Amino acid sequence: MGFTKVTSKVVLAEVRPGQEVLARRGAMLATTGTIAFSPVVGGPGGGAYGGGIASALARGMQGEAVPLMVAEGNGSVHYGYHGHHVTVVDLDGSQSMSVEADRLLAHDAGMSSSVVFLGQQGGLRGAVRGAVTGQGLFTTQLSGRGSVAVLSHGGTFALQVGGNRQVVVDPQAYVAHVGNLRLDVATAVSWRDAVGRGSGEGVQLKVSGEGTVYVQASEEKL
């Protein structure tokens, strides 16, 4: 199905029977055709769209839920959120995508989803909690064939990771990644950081493996 970029901050999703779209509540800007919206019930066994994706978004470090709506019918929907930039990533089914829960705008409802606790991947959340992104303990993992729209401040750029090439990202700027990647937190705290004279970059996110990491052009949180 796919999403079409209308502007840098708006995407258009085509909705057909059997081709529904999931998006965060409040993201719908306009519709054409006959479209019906209904809330996604969170938690396991919470309905057709109520499994991993709702659970991932409903749990945040700060306890703030990000509820979802499913768009059904025959028509199109324009999506955007608070004027944030939107990046569309198309998956061909061969690789999965992990995205910060608070960065997820919309995706094809037919894609499989699960919750990944990043504290199990090198301690991304458990070790530094609020020092990293402060957006949540969980990341949403999507797989299958379809499109995913993610939010960012100032747009995103993609960095290829592979072989012996390791990429280091400011944790505040990390948005998502595709492929078989490992994310590890490294701290470089010096005496300058201890006395408040450091650069503010004492925590780094090291990305290794094979895949692509998406980084936003800002350290600002959503």
Side-chain angles (χ1 to χ4, degrees):
M1 180 170 53
F3 297 153
T4 302
K5 289 285 290 289
V6 178
T7 72
S8 62
K9 301 177 181 181
V10 178
V11 294
L12 177 68
E14 297 294 335
V15 179
R16 300 289 183 268
Q19 295 181 342
E20 293 78 21
V21 174
L22 287 174
R24 62 187 299 155
R25 186 176 300 174
M28 187 277 287
L29 302 176
T31 68
T32 60
T34 304
I35 303 293
F37 296 92
S38 56
V40 174
V41 179
Y49 306 101
I53 183 66
S55 298
L57 296 180
R59 299 185 183 96
M61 184 186 308
Q62 300 173 354
E64 296 180 358
V66 182
L68 293 175
M69 301 290 288
V70 57
E72 303 172 279
N74 198 331
S76 61
V77 184
H78 286 80
Y79 287 112
Y81 191 73
H82 288 187
H84 296 308
H85 285 76
V86 181
T87 299
V88 175
V89 180
D90 295 317
L91 300 180
D92 61 8
S94 64
Q95 294 181 314
S96 62
M97 178 177 186
S98 295
V99 55
E100 287 278 4
D102 200 44
R103 308 278 188 178
L104 186 58
L105 174 66
H107 68 87
D108 293 334
M111 301 180 72
S112 299
S113 63
S114 61
V115 178
V116 177
F117 177 47
L118 293 185
Q120 297 174 347
Q121 298 184 11
L124 177 57
R125 289 298 185 273
V128 291
R129 289 180 68 89
V132 184
T133 64
Q135 293 177 350
L137 290 166
F138 297 85
T139 268
T140 301
Q141 188 172 80
L142 299 168
S143 59
R145 185 181 298 273
S147 293
V148 184
V150 299
L151 300 167
S152 68
H153 282 285
T156 64
F157 58 95
L159 293 175
Q160 300 300 316
V161 185
N164 295 324
R165 185 188 184 200
Q166 180 175 266
V167 172
V168 177
V169 176
D170 185 313
Q172 301 282 6
Y174 167 81
V175 174
H177 69 265
V178 176
N180 185 21
L181 295 180
R182 177 181 175 85
L183 281 61
D184 294 294
V185 168
T187 57
V189 178
S190 66
W191 69 271
R192 290 183 180 273
D193 296 291
V195 298
R197 297 179 181 178
S199 65
E201 298 175 350
V203 178
Q204 299 174 338
L205 188 60
K206 293 186 176 181
V207 186
S208 58
E210 297 286 339
T212 305
V213 60
Y214 293 87
V215 184
Q216 71 171 11
S218 170
E219 295 180 348
E220 188 175 354
K221 304 173 186 176
L222 294 184

